[in-house]
Amino acid sequence: MKISVLTVCWNSAATIRHTVDSFFAQDHQDKELVVVDGGSWDKTLTIIRSYPQDQIQLISEPDRGMYDALNKGLRLYTGDAVGVLNSDDCFHDQTVLTRISAELGRADIVHGDLDFVENHLNKRVVRRWRAAPRPAKGFRTGWMPAHPTFYVKRKVAESVGAFDLSLKVASDYDWMLRAVELHGFGSATISHILVDMMVGGASTRSLGSYIGHNFEALRSRRQWLRSGPIDYALVAKPARKLGQFLSKRFG
């Protein structure tokens, strides 16, 4: 199974080497890295072009943000399955794509564990995200997978379509919701840390972005799941994240 990994970047010279190194370290050989760059003027492109290019697709041009760039990646990738690795994140170890490929032999969608780390040098864990199987009511319960661990077969990506550019910080949540809840695809969890994610992403870098993400997620549930103006997941979703912080602090 050929697995395509989408990486969006813009002036990411400080972190992109960790990301690309972790891709090339994978023991799964049938893979490609699709890098969609927003027109970097630092050394990002020089770093990417220093790697063997036979497994890299690279485009560099202005875009309308991360989700627009991901939509470009969805149009470009050639694999049997696809997922996203952010330009300041990396695969946890060399077995990740092998594990994903094996589980995609049994399910249409897979996701797994993730560690939030301070940086990729000290690997100090700030928060742990441990995957759980989809509950009976899915996203209505506050459950969601960790997007950097979320891989789908091509038929899923084609059914879901593009990321919604009207959502500024929760379009990944909306995309996963549509994949899991609307088309009847089966999902499986991988009980293994798949990604080391640096803290400070778009939905968590400030209180305002965190609140914005939760209300955009509510908007997605109202659109696709017919949730009310306020629903259970609006409280349960942040509560699940609090549990992740506590598991790191006291676990």
Side-chain angles (χ1 to χ4, degrees), residues 21-37:
D21 279 348
S22 75
F23 170 82
F24 278 98
Q26 293 302 298
D27 56 18
H28 184 81
Q29 295 303 306
D30 197 5
K31 61 185 183 289
E32 72 169 350
L33 182 65
V34 180
V35 181
V36 185
D37 176 77

Side-chain angles (χ1 to χ4, degrees), residues 65-86:
M66 177 177 67
Y67 299 125
D68 181 39
L70 284 175
N71 284 338
K72 294 179 183 181
L74 287 176
R75 294 191 291 268
L76 287 171
Y77 84 95
T78 63
D80 306 300
V82 64
V84 175
L85 185 66
N86 298 317

Side-chain angles (χ1 to χ4, degrees), residues 45-70:
L45 297 176
T46 301
I47 292 170
I48 295 167
R49 288 172 176 144
S50 71
Y51 290 86
Q53 298 297 294
D54 58 325
Q55 290 185 318
I56 296 180
Q57 284 197 68
L58 170 64
I59 63 167
S60 180
E61 61 187 23
D63 56 50
R64 291 179 287 167
M66 177 177 67
Y67 299 125
D68 181 39
L70 284 175

Side-chain angles (χ1 to χ4, degrees), residues 2 10 68 87 90 121 174 213 230:
K2 183 176 182 179
W10 183 69
D68 181 39
S87 62
C90 64
L121 297 177
D174 175 81
H213 183 277
I230 301 295

Side-chain angles (χ1 to χ4, degrees), residues 13-24 47 51 85-91 119-121 123 198:
T15 58
I16 192 69
R17 193 176 295 280
H18 295 290
T19 305
V20 182
D21 279 348
S22 75
F23 170 82
F24 278 98
I47 292 170
Y51 290 86
L85 185 66
N86 298 317
S87 62
D88 52 0
D89 303 335
C90 64
F91 291 122
N119 59 62
H120 295 303
L121 297 177
K123 293 292 187 182
M198 277 184 60

Side-chain angles (χ1 to χ4, degrees), residues 3-7 81-85 150-152:
I3 301 179
S4 298
V5 179
L6 309 183
T7 295
V82 64
V84 175
L85 185 66
F150 192 80
Y151 281 73
V152 303

